[in-house]
Amino acid sequence: MYSTKAYLQKPDKQGIGRIYIRYTYDRKTNAISLDRKIEEYKFDSKNGLVYNKYPEAESLNSAIRDAQKLIEQVAASLRVPEFVQVKKGYLERTAELNIQKKQERYNRIIPDLYNHFEAEEIPQQIKEYQEKINELLVKQRELSKKGYKNESVEELEFRNYLAEYPDTFNSKSKSAKAHIKVWIKVLLEFSEKTNTQLTYNVFDYKFYDSYAKYLMYDSEHKYYNNNFGNHVKRLKAFLQWLEDDKGVTVINKGYKKYKVLKEEIEIIYLTSEELELLWNYRNEVEAPFVKYIDLCVFGNLTGLRYSDIKRSYWKIENGFLQGKTKKTKGNYQIPLKLDSRIEEILKKYNYNLNLVSSVKFNKYIKIICGELFKKNEINQIPIPICRYKLKDEFITYHLKHKLIASHSSRRGFCTRLWQDGWSERDILLMLGSKSNDVLRKYVRNSTEDLLRKVNEKVKQKVAPNSEAQLN
């Protein structure tokens, strides 16, 4: 059996919520928007109606009952009243009734106007209608300020699903949920500024092209391919969630072919010589800045992501720094003998390196490296960085210290070990990863591969010559 009942969506900051009709069948619950709003305190959630003492109760309760009746009529006409079919039938029937009501209104108004609009009365009639229009315009502006908008039922439902979406990720971190909320905010902003309706039939190539143009060229975001690709990936995941979890039919399947653009970003890192200069520079900076240097050196010596350093979830056993990575849940194990400074820094801070946020670290390590490079008269030539927007190439120039950040440490760790002849297997074992793609992500410069091969060839040539001399 099926049942219906009205309920109020979670109210906004003004205490106003949308009215929905909950449809339950076979113990599965879904909802259809009534396209009406009301203050929370006026709604009787127990009975699913507006309290009769309020002026709007009669019209809203009538709309609720009519909607329930129509939904139940559609359900009764179906052999298997699944929500998707019930909703489709309800929307179609609602559209038919709206057209019918407009026609009836038209049939009433036109004869009245025709019969009463005598020539001498026309100016007065125009004046009265204009006054009525002005009143309606004022009312419309007032409602807009309160959050009421002239949106279709479908778009209101779409926006409601967007609001619900972040809370479905119970297993995700706060930062992951924050990224999803940012994506939703930007999508709604795109919809409003480009006058794009968010409905289930809009997601074709034209939408993709407009979305890309807005995020990369027309807005304050000025995204490149990587950032735009992340937004497209989240949009595709959301639309798939609508179909899989909500039983919504996304009419235009073009979204499934949306390309998630990616680009290889040049990650700048500190060389061994620069890392030594930075370590020794601790004696010259003011005391509050020493911790930034220690964190940077520790990251370079261990290859740990900044999130794992800040988390400080590790133990030392058999001469190894061991723990589980936060991002991939891999088991890293760093030999303390790689460098004595690893344990020195750990002991200095009592094994807790949760010292500053990543935002602060990225800000101040740039400043420190900038002063260090200037003092030693190195890295004063800007580095060209190539980025892409779709297929358009953009080259910008930056001094090296401006490109140093938390992820530079992991790149430096992998590159130095690779150049020193460590095998991929050994480096991955330290990082707590099984994929060679992870290593190639941090060691991908052709010059670094060539340097490694040249060093190997030189060693091979030196070895036979040494043996010949001994003989």
Side-chain angles (χ1 to χ4, degrees):
M1 292 296 292
Y2 50 81
S3 63
T4 61
K5 183 180 179 180
Y7 73 95
L8 200 66
Q9 182 203 31
K10 184 178 179 182
D12 57 21
K13 293 180 180 179
Q14 286 74 43
I16 298 173
R18 289 192 182 95
I19 300 174
Y20 278 77
I21 305 298
R22 182 184 291 113
Y23 176 76
T24 303
Y25 170 70
D26 195 21
R27 298 184 180 179
K28 295 179 182 178
T29 299
N30 291 278
I32 298 175
S33 173
L34 192 61
D35 197 16
R36 299 289 189 92
K37 290 183 177 181
I38 193 170
E39 292 84 349
E40 183 182 21
Y41 67 86
K42 295 181 180 180
F43 192 79
D44 181 0
S45 58
K46 182 178 179 181
N47 295 311
L49 294 169
V50 178
Y51 288 112
N52 289 327
K53 62 182 178 180
Y54 296 105
E56 57 269 63
E58 184 177 352
S59 62
L60 282 177
N61 287 340
S62 177
I64 290 171
R65 292 188 180 100
D66 287 346
Q68 286 180 278
K69 182 179 178 181
L70 184 56
I71 291 170
E72 290 170 4
Q73 285 176 349
V74 172
S77 69
L78 298 171
R79 186 172 63 84
V80 181
E82 295 283 356
F83 174 72
V84 174
Q85 297 302 319
V86 170
K87 180 184 173 183
K88 180 182 177 184
Y90 169 79
L91 293 176
E92 289 174 351
R93 185 64 182 134
T94 301
E96 291 172 0
L97 289 172
N98 287 336
I99 293 172
Q100 184 179 332
K101 288 178 182 177
K102 286 181 180 179
Q103 186 63 45
E104 290 174 355
R105 192 180 306 119
Y106 177 81
N107 292 337
R108 288 196 307 271
I109 292 173
I110 294 301
D112 289 344
L113 290 175
Y114 192 79
N115 294 330
H116 294 91
F117 272 19
E118 301 278 340
E120 62 271 22
E121 295 177 350
I122 289 177
Q124 181 61 30
Q125 292 287 342
I126 291 175
K127 181 180 178 181
E128 290 177 2
Y129 273 87
Q130 188 60 55
E131 288 174 353
K132 185 62 177 178
I133 289 170
N134 291 337
E135 289 176 8
L136 290 172
L137 289 173
V138 170
K139 187 66 175 177
Q140 185 183 50
R141 285 193 288 271
E142 290 175 353
L143 290 171
S144 295
K145 289 179 181 179
K146 292 181 179 180
Y148 294 85
K149 291 185 179 180
N150 185 22
E151 298 168 316
S152 67
V153 173
E154 189 175 314
E155 187 167 14
L156 285 169
E157 182 181 78
F158 190 96
R159 289 171 179 262
N160 181 57
Y161 283 138
L162 279 175
E164 177 186 345
Y165 189 55
D167 294 330
T168 63
F169 294 97
N170 295 325
S171 60
K172 285 189 177 290
S173 64
K174 289 182 179 179
S175 61
K177 287 186 178 181
H179 287 312
I180 292 170
K181 289 179 179 179
V182 168
W183 163 71
I184 292 172
K185 178 177 178 291
V186 173
L187 178 65
L188 293 175
E189 172 194 285
F190 159 75
S191 170
E192 292 169 8
K193 293 189 177 181
T194 62
N195 197 28
T196 301
Q197 279 196 323
L198 296 175
T199 54
Y200 303 127
N201 64 345
V202 75
F203 298 103
D204 54 11
Y205 179 76
K206 185 179 178 181
F207 177 94
Y208 182 87
D209 187 58
S210 178
Y211 198 34
K213 183 180 178 183
Y214 174 78
L215 291 179
M216 294 187 182
Y217 295 99
D218 292 352
S219 72
E220 67 272 18
H221 303 293
K222 304 296 182 185
Y223 287 161
Y224 290 98
N225 281 356
N226 265 357
N227 280 333
F228 173 64
N230 286 332
H231 279 251
V232 170
K233 181 170 67 175
R234 292 188 176 104
L235 174 62
K236 292 179 70 173
F238 170 72
L239 294 176
Q240 193 63 58
W241 172 77
L242 285 181
E243 296 204 285
D244 293 345
D245 288 33
K246 291 299 178 181
V248 172
T249 300
V250 179
I251 300 170
N252 199 317
K253 304 295 184 183
Y255 81 90
K256 291 181 179 290
K257 295 182 179 180
Y258 284 174
K259 189 173 182 180
V260 178
L261 299 178
K262 294 181 181 180
E263 58 180 334
E264 288 192 356
I265 300 176
E266 184 65 33
I267 302 175
I268 303 302
Y269 66 95
L270 297 173
T271 65
S272 298
E273 294 75 16
E274 291 165 351
L275 193 62
E276 289 301 318
L277 286 174
L278 181 63
W279 176 254
N280 295 326
Y281 194 49
R282 294 181 310 157
N283 301 321
E284 300 180 39
V285 299
E286 296 180 12
F289 295 104
V290 173
K291 60 178 173 287
Y292 295 100
I293 295 178
D294 287 337
L295 287 168
C296 183
V297 172
F298 185 83
N300 272 271
L301 297 179
T302 62
L304 294 176
R305 295 184 181 88
Y306 194 79
S307 58
D308 289 318
I309 295 174
K310 191 172 182 294
R311 190 170 169 229
S312 300
Y313 181 72
W314 47 48
K315 65 179 179 179
I316 291 179
E317 193 172 281
N318 299 324
F320 284 85
L321 180 67
Q322 300 177 340
K324 189 180 290 290
T325 61
K326 182 179 180 180
K327 184 176 181 180
T328 62
K329 310 304 180 187
N331 296 304
Y332 62 81
Q333 37 193 340
I334 314 297
L336 295 178
K337 286 186 177 181
L338 272 180
D339 196 294
S340 61
R341 289 173 291 185
I342 297 175
E343 198 162 14
E344 180 181 338
I345 294 170
L346 285 170
K347 289 179 178 179
K348 177 179 178 179
Y349 296 101
N350 197 27
Y351 296 88
N352 183 3
L353 298 185
N354 184 10
L355 306 177
V356 295
S357 68
S358 60
V359 174
K360 277 193 172 182
F361 174 82
N362 288 332
K363 175 183 177 180
Y364 287 106
I365 200 62
K366 288 178 171 61
I367 295 172
I368 294 168
C369 286
E371 293 172 351
L372 175 65
F373 295 163
K374 187 175 182 180
K375 174 180 180 294
N376 289 275
E377 297 181 346
I378 58 175
N379 301 322
Q380 298 305 298
I381 300 175
I383 300 170
I385 299 295
C386 182
R387 302 291 302 276
Y388 288 88
K389 297 184 179 185
L390 299 177
K391 293 184 178 180
D392 296 336
E393 183 180 87
F394 292 82
I395 298 177
T396 56
Y397 294 84
H398 311 266
L399 288 173
K400 183 171 182 175
H401 71 274
K402 292 286 188 180
L403 301 172
I404 297 296
S406 57
H407 53 251
S408 303
S409 300
R410 193 170 176 86
R411 172 72 187 273
F413 171 82
C414 294
T415 301
R416 283 188 294 274
L417 289 182
W418 178 252
Q419 290 176 348
D420 287 344
W422 289 79
S423 70
E424 289 185 357
R425 179 181 177 277
D426 289 337
I427 299 174
L428 290 172
L429 189 62
M430 294 184 208
L431 294 176
S433 177
K434 298 178 181 179
S435 172
N436 289 343
D437 291 338
V438 173
L439 184 57
R440 291 300 177 183
K441 177 182 176 182
Y442 293 98
V443 184
R444 62 169 175 267
N445 281 355
S446 58
T447 54
E448 291 162 355
D449 287 334
L450 285 173
L451 181 61
R452 171 185 169 86
K453 291 174 182 177
V454 167
N455 289 335
E456 289 174 351
K457 293 294 183 183
V458 169
K459 289 177 182 178
Q460 290 173 5
K461 289 181 179 180
V462 169
N465 292 336
S466 299
E467 290 179 4
Q469 290 175 6
L470 290 173
N471 294 332

